[in-house]
Amino acid sequence: PLVLLVVSVGEGPRHYIVQIGFLVALGATGWLRLVVGLFRRPSVRAFIVLAIAVVVAALLARPMLEAAFLHWRLPRVRVSRRLLVPLALIAVAVVVGWIRSWTPPRRQWLSPSRWSRPRWSRSLTGAALVLAVVTGAAVQIASAPIARAQIDTDVVRSTAVQRAVDWVRANVPPGSTVAFGSQLTVETALRLRGDVQTVLISDDMGIVVDPTTLLGIRAGGDPPAADWVALRASPTDVNLFFGYRAGSVVSDFRALGARFWVQTDVDQSISPIVQALRGATGVVLAGHWVTTRGSVRLETSIFKVDPGRLAFPDRVIVSQDALARIIAGFERAPAASVTAAGTLLARVTVIPDDARAAALVQRLRGLAAP
């Protein structure tokens, strides 16, 4: 139920922390029940099942083991002496206990009943169980290195944040107000505490397609607006958009007294607001760099803003995914979308500008002139 609750509202994996706690408790309970069951009713069948489970676990862990030990970019796992000592003691105890348990004392060598007891089965099952637990622990230790993609992402994010912090400290007077977009905001702002004032100018959320408005979109229950300057598709909801309005951005900068805007894009394509700021009046691109590692790429842009002169041209920068969703909404009601499609066609700039963008504009043109 907790997983379904999180999924239903479209939240990210970080909201599964509570569920992970429950799963850890349930998993530990399952292993405990397995141990108790095997020692209460030891049998060759139980040993076979356990052996199969160990083999399956090893096969499932093979990709992780290969990634941990064979990929040159990942750190090698080094087992310290502190870990080798308890592992060696466990192995010795298992072997000695197993041999001693099924080997009868000398005085009982001639006793047939000694060999008819199921003690050998019990000890063998216990030894297999201990070995399985040790094997599982070893697999977990060997799999500790995170996948290369995650390592690359963490390194790139950390590097991008540090470069932005260093740039602000070197170029922005202490006590100034610095605005951030919606990406890597907290990570960067926390590092700048005490140096500058940090504020967030986030994009509007909950934007939906509405063919009856001038541009064919509406921000929730707000009155229709015609001054949208940047639109991108929501990453969690296929029906929603995120966007900036010129009036809101200008009023926020003037009210907050912000002089700089820091924007880091975590996606492969540049954010529409960056393109909008590059074409705005009263805005100068003061810093720009790209941080890469592997297939991960982050682009950071820092703009110096004059709030008194800030103004946006009559253009709306739209990402390809956002425009595709808008067109799909128009196509569900083509008769009611003619005016909105024509207005949007006259003002839209699609990023990135490639063959797909041209195809989307052509579809929009067909809706504007049926």
Side-chain angles (χ1 to χ4, degrees):
L2 293 174
V3 172
L4 293 178
L5 174 63
V6 172
V7 171
S8 66
V9 296
E11 297 293 353
R14 66 182 181 277
H15 294 89
Y16 287 99
I17 294 176
V18 175
Q19 291 87 324
I20 291 174
F22 280 104
L23 292 177
V24 168
L26 291 174
T29 304
W31 279 104
L32 179 60
R33 293 190 64 180
L34 176 63
V35 172
V36 173
L38 288 177
F39 276 98
R40 282 182 177 178
R41 301 181 61 183
S43 64
V44 176
R45 181 183 302 176
F47 167 72
I48 295 175
V49 172
L50 188 61
I52 294 175
V54 172
V55 172
V56 172
L59 292 176
L60 294 176
R62 181 179 176 182
M64 294 185 292
L65 293 173
E66 290 179 350
F69 290 105
L70 301 182
H71 201 286
W72 68 273
R73 297 197 62 179
L74 289 179
R76 299 297 188 268
V77 178
R78 295 182 179 180
V79 181
S80 64
R81 293 182 179 179
R82 294 182 180 180
L83 184 60
L84 282 176
V85 171
L87 288 179
L89 291 177
I90 291 175
V92 171
V94 168
V95 174
V96 173
W98 179 64
I99 294 176
R100 179 166 180 169
S101 63
W102 68 264
T103 304
R106 184 175 304 175
R107 63 179 180 273
Q108 297 182 359
W109 273 93
L110 300 179
S111 175
S113 61
R114 179 66 182 83
W115 296 98
S116 63
R117 297 176 183 177
R119 189 176 179 183
W120 67 272
S121 177
R122 183 182 298 108
S123 62
L124 186 60
T125 304
L129 179 63
V130 174
L131 288 176
V133 173
V134 173
T135 302
V139 169
Q140 292 297 326
I141 295 172
S143 306
I146 308 173
R148 185 187 71 176
Q150 185 60 48
I151 292 179
D152 291 344
T153 299
D154 292 341
V155 171
V156 170
R157 289 169 66 95
S158 177
T159 303
V161 168
Q162 187 59 51
R163 293 184 67 178
V165 170
D166 293 341
W167 190 97
V168 170
R169 287 175 175 168
N171 297 276
V172 178
S176 301
T177 301
V178 177
F180 291 87
S182 56
Q183 308 291 352
L184 294 182
T185 302
V186 176
E187 296 92 326
T188 310
L190 285 176
R191 302 284 295 274
L192 292 170
R193 287 183 305 172
D195 299 329
V196 295
Q197 299 293 325
T198 58
V199 295
L200 172 65
I201 301 182
S202 61
D203 40 9
D204 292 327
M205 296 179 286
I207 303 172
V208 296
V209 176
D210 184 355
T212 64
T213 63
L214 185 61
L215 289 176
I217 56 174
R218 178 196 296 269
D222 295 343
D227 61 342
W228 295 102
V229 294
L231 287 172
R232 63 185 176 95
S234 169
T236 58
D237 194 314
V238 297
N239 298 313
L240 300 181
F241 310 89
F242 295 162
Y244 285 95
R245 292 176 48 200
S248 299
V249 174
V250 172
S251 62
D252 286 344
F253 265 91
R254 292 177 180 176
L256 298 171
R259 298 285 180 176
F260 294 89
W261 179 308
V262 179
Q263 176 73 31
T264 298
D265 298 311
V266 299
D267 300 323
Q268 293 296 326
S269 59
I270 193 170
S271 173
I273 188 57
V274 172
Q275 293 283 50
L277 288 169
R278 287 182 175 180
T281 303
V283 179
V284 177
L285 182 63
H288 176 264
W289 57 83
V290 176
T291 307
T292 61
R293 178 184 170 95
S295 61
V296 182
R297 179 181 184 275
L298 298 186
E299 185 167 352
T300 302
S301 302
I302 300 181
F303 299 93
K304 186 175 182 180
V305 181
D306 182 355
R309 299 178 54 243
L310 179 59
F312 291 89
D314 192 23
R315 302 292 295 172
V316 52
I317 314 298
V318 184
S319 67
Q320 290 185 4
D321 291 340
L323 184 58
R325 294 182 186 182
I326 294 174
I327 292 175
F330 286 174
E331 290 174 341
R332 287 191 289 268
S337 305
V338 175
T339 302
T343 306
L344 183 60
L345 179 63
R347 295 176 52 184
V348 72
T349 297
V350 188
I351 59 170
D353 186 9
D354 54 18
R356 186 192 178 201
L360 290 171
V361 172
Q362 188 62 32
R363 288 174 58 188
L364 185 63
R365 183 174 291 109
L367 290 167

